[in-house]
Amino acid sequence: MAVLNFGGVNETVVTRDEFTLDHAREVLKDEKIAVIGYGVQGPGQACNLRDNGFNVIVGQRQGKTFEKAIADGWVPGETLFSIEEAAEQASIIMCLLSDAAVMSVWPTLKQYLTPGKALYFSHGFAITWNDRTGVVPGSDYDVIMVAPKGSGTSLRTMFLEGRGLNSSYAVYQDATGRAMERTLALGIGIGSGYMFETTFQREATSDLTGERGSLMGAIQGLLLAQYEVLRENGHSPSEAFNETVEELTQSLMPLFAQKGMDWMYANCSTTAQRGALDWMGPFHDACKPVVEKLYASVKCGNEAQISIDANSKPDYRVGLEAELKALRESEMWQTAVTVRSLRPENDNK
């Protein structure tokens, strides 16, 4: 482990140089790992573990995702099983189902969590709000977490590119005395870049805040507000979209992702610099009360309950698709389809 300085604050992190892949394989050499669920996180984590040389199988219900697992090289009866069969075989059960699915599968899954096994999550939701989810683990097995800071698709893509996606990790329960080394070995095995320690509660609250805030909810709200103001003032869809979304994602985000916001500012015009520095304060002051309200709603469990209630409705998928369809068919994102088709990288396609 290394102690690094993050903005003046020291944190202990785990890197692949210190906790090597060879060491991770040694730690888990006698373990059979079952990835339960092949939806969002399952494919990336399972395939990365397999490609890194770990003994891993997949447990998944029959259906589209079962067929996807077959397409990814998992073999029914050899490395691909029902949830029950995979859980029974494994010493480490990686529960990568959706939060709603965890709740419905938990009565089945817990039957296979015998003493000495490990129950692994990539999100703290089910455990943090187990008074609502009903996921209350027994006391005789490890309960651990590695949470990649991105989608399973990104985890897999970056792995294939020779890079790593950063992850947080936590031990909720150490029944075997090996929970921490199991956790770190799995984190390296799935392809983490570096790992930073957290708790199930901190991961769950920060994750829900981020998704509803700057990562997804807030960014869509801000982009739409600016797009609408430009359109309402006579700007064309192409101009409004380019000034709102395209320039952000294609030009500016790579700059501040590479070296920070000051680097991005330094590589823009003096007019842009002045305006950004003058207006970042008003935007901060307008947004912070909303983020504070959001965080409070997450921390008290209100957002978790909203998710549980919504995801438990029998027609949830129908309602979700209707909402996503409205978003997809909005003028801003229909303009995006045309703009993307005009990008230079599409010239040779």
Side-chain angles (χ1 to χ4, degrees):
M1 297 186 181
V3 178
L4 300 179
N5 186 278
F6 293 86
V9 178
N10 288 333
E11 283 191 47
T12 300
V13 300
V14 179
T15 71
R16 292 185 287 188
D17 291 334
E18 297 148 333
F19 201 106
T20 65
L21 182 58
D22 284 341
H23 182 55
R25 292 193 191 104
E26 178 65 23
V27 169
L28 300 179
K29 65 181 181 180
D30 297 323
E31 307 264 21
K32 179 176 280 190
I33 305 162
V35 172
I36 306 299
Y38 208 74
V40 177
Q41 281 290 335
Q45 296 199 33
C47 289
N48 289 0
L49 283 166
R50 179 183 63 189
D51 292 353
N52 271 333
F54 294 87
N55 184 10
V56 58
I57 59 176
V58 171
Q60 176 59 47
R61 302 273 191 231
Q62 291 284 343
K64 289 183 178 179
T65 48
F66 193 90
E67 296 305 315
K68 182 182 186 308
I70 293 174
D72 286 346
W74 302 97
V75 180
E78 295 182 15
T79 55
L80 177 59
F81 303 91
S82 69
I83 289 175
E84 293 82 358
E85 290 174 305
E88 185 174 25
Q89 290 185 42
S91 57
I92 297 176
I93 298 174
M94 298 177 68
C95 186
L96 299 182
L97 299 156
S98 69
D99 295 324
V102 172
M103 293 169 57
S104 64
V105 173
W106 176 245
T108 298
L109 202 60
K110 68 180 181 181
Q111 299 176 51
Y112 301 98
L113 285 160
T114 51
K117 287 193 176 186
L119 173 62
Y120 167 109
F121 292 95
S122 281
H123 188 18
F125 188 105
I127 294 293
T128 297
W129 293 294
N130 60 16
D131 58 327
R132 302 163 188 263
T133 65
V135 181
V136 180
S139 61
D140 50 6
Y141 49 83
D142 296 340
V143 182
I144 60 181
M145 175 177 67
V146 178
K149 298 299 104 181
S151 71
T153 300
S154 298
L155 182 73
R156 181 61 175 165
T157 300
M158 293 174 73
F159 175 85
L160 293 174
E161 293 172 349
R163 300 187 293 146
L165 183 65
N166 299 331
S167 301
S168 60
Y169 69 92
V171 172
Y172 179 79
Q173 180 170 278
D174 183 4
T176 66
R178 298 182 56 240
M180 182 60 75
E181 66 174 5
R182 278 171 144 179
T183 303
L184 298 180
L186 288 164
I188 296 300
I190 66 170
S192 299
Y194 78 82
M195 294 182 285
F196 58 94
E197 191 167 13
T198 187
T199 65
F200 274 63
Q201 190 272 340
R202 292 209 317 263
E203 191 282 331
T205 52
S206 62
D207 188 78
L208 264 66
T209 300
E211 290 167 347
R212 286 150 178 74
S214 64
L215 301 179
M216 296 174 68
I219 192 67
Q220 165 63 16
L222 174 59
L223 295 177
L224 181 60
Q226 181 169 304
Y227 180 88
E228 287 176 341
V229 169
L230 290 173
R231 291 287 287 121
E232 289 160 3
N233 283 276
H235 298 270
S236 70
S238 181
E239 184 170 53
F241 186 84
N242 272 277
E243 294 292 353
T244 300
V245 180
E246 191 74 354
E247 187 172 352
L248 170 67
T249 60
Q250 302 305 300
S251 174
L252 300 181
M253 286 182 71
L255 291 178
F256 70 77
Q258 181 184 17
K259 291 189 177 180
M261 195 65 73
D262 62 316
W263 170 254
M264 185 263 278
Y265 281 10
N267 283 274
C268 293
S269 71
T270 55
T271 301
Q273 291 169 359
R274 184 68 268 144
L277 291 166
D278 289 346
W279 277 92
M280 66 181 185
F283 272 106
H284 167 270
D285 294 346
C287 293
K288 189 168 182 182
V290 178
V291 178
E292 290 174 333
K293 182 178 179 180
L294 164 59
Y295 188 83
S297 184
V298 170
K299 190 172 183 179
C300 74
N302 185 54
E303 293 300 311
Q305 191 63 53
I306 290 171
S307 296
I308 291 168
D309 292 344
N311 295 343
S312 299
K313 293 179 179 178
D315 62 346
Y316 167 68
R317 287 289 175 186
V318 176
L320 173 64
E321 180 51 38
E323 290 182 280
L324 295 179
K325 183 174 183 288
L327 187 62
R328 182 169 61 249
E329 294 181 353
S330 66
E331 184 187 278
M332 184 170 77
W333 292 112
Q334 284 300 299
T335 299
V337 174
T338 304
V339 171
R340 286 196 296 269
S341 72
L342 296 172
R343 289 177 185 165
E345 66 261 28
N346 293 319
D347 289 348
N348 297 322
K349 293 182 180 179

